[in-house]
């Protein structure tokens, strides 16, 4: 029997495709598990668990306490901590995004909406929000819309996770049916991030909060990262 998308869930997908600012991918990701076919869930889980370092990551379940921006600002220039501090401040980013997402996640989990989400993925999505901006710092992808697209593709290449897959489906659906003028830059960003993520060492399972005093250049060298700085945009 050919697999199909649940039609009730399809309405939720359309909400995200129509207006991802109002109905973000983070909501779609959490809503999906009530409708996800078991064989699809298991396929994602099998691919994820087969990744190098994934089992150690899942066994340890490291989750850091919230970072203090003032303390980060006191790290030496050139360290991961100092670079992260400036990335957050210079881009006017929300420093508590991981905490805010965790509150949403726990509310949905307590209500039973996430009962079909594997425990491994419950931890992974929470940890993913914690390290997202560290990945920006290491890869050199900026916080612009296309820098964000590239980083999601990079992370999908390294993690094979449904949250990033949903980002790709949202982006490619919108460029196909609603914003054809974005085909060039969106595909440049996706391909740049995907190829970059497959080429360098895996950085999605690291405990960045324990490395704040390390020089950023050393971390990049260790994982073979030559930061792109920005993604190439099509004319």
């Amino acid at each position: 029997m050919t697999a199909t998308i649940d039609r009730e869930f399809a309405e939720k997908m359309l909400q995200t495709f129509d207006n991802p600012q109002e109905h973000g991918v983070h909501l779609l990701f959490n809503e999906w598990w009530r409708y996800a076919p078991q064989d699809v869930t298991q396929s994602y889980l099998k691919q994820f668990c087969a990744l190098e370092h994934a089992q150690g990551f899942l066994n340890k379940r490291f989750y850091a306490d919230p970072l203090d921006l003032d303390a980060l600002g006191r790290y030496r220039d050139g360290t991961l901590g100092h670079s992260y501090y400036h990335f957050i401040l210079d881009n006017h980013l929300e420093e508590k995004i991981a905490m805010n997402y965790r509150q949403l996640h726990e509310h949905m989990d307590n209500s039973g909406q996430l009962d079909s989400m594997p425990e491994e993925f419950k931890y992974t999505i929470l940890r993913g929000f914690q390290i997202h901006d560290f990945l920006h710092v290491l890869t050199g992808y900026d916080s612009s819309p296309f820098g964000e697209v590239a980083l999601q593709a990079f992370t999908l290449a390294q993690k094979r996770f449904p949250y990033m897959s949903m980002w790709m489906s949202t982006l490619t659906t919108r460029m196909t049916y609603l914003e054809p003028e974005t085909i060039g830059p969106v595909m440049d960003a996706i391909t740049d991030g995907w190829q970059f993520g497959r080429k360098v060492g895996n950085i999605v399972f690291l405990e960045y909060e324990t490395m704040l005093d390390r020089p950023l250049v050393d971390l990049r060298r260790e994982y073979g990262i030559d930061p792109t700085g920005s993604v190439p945009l099509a004319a």
Side-chain angles (χ1 to χ4, degrees), residues 136 141-152 189 231:
H136 272 292
Y141 286 130
D142 63 24
S143 63
S144 69
F146 294 112
E148 190 64 50
V149 171
L151 185 62
Q152 294 293 345
V231 298

Side-chain angles (χ1 to χ4, degrees), residues 8-36:
E8 184 176 346
F9 177 68
E11 286 298 320
K12 299 179 183 297
M13 289 173 58
L14 287 173
Q15 291 180 46
T16 300
F17 295 162
D18 285 341
N19 193 336
Q21 282 71 44
E22 283 291 318
H23 194 262
V25 174
H26 66 291
L27 296 176
L28 190 67
F29 171 79
N30 285 321
E31 290 164 344
W32 183 55
W33 301 96
R34 289 184 293 164
Y35 308 95

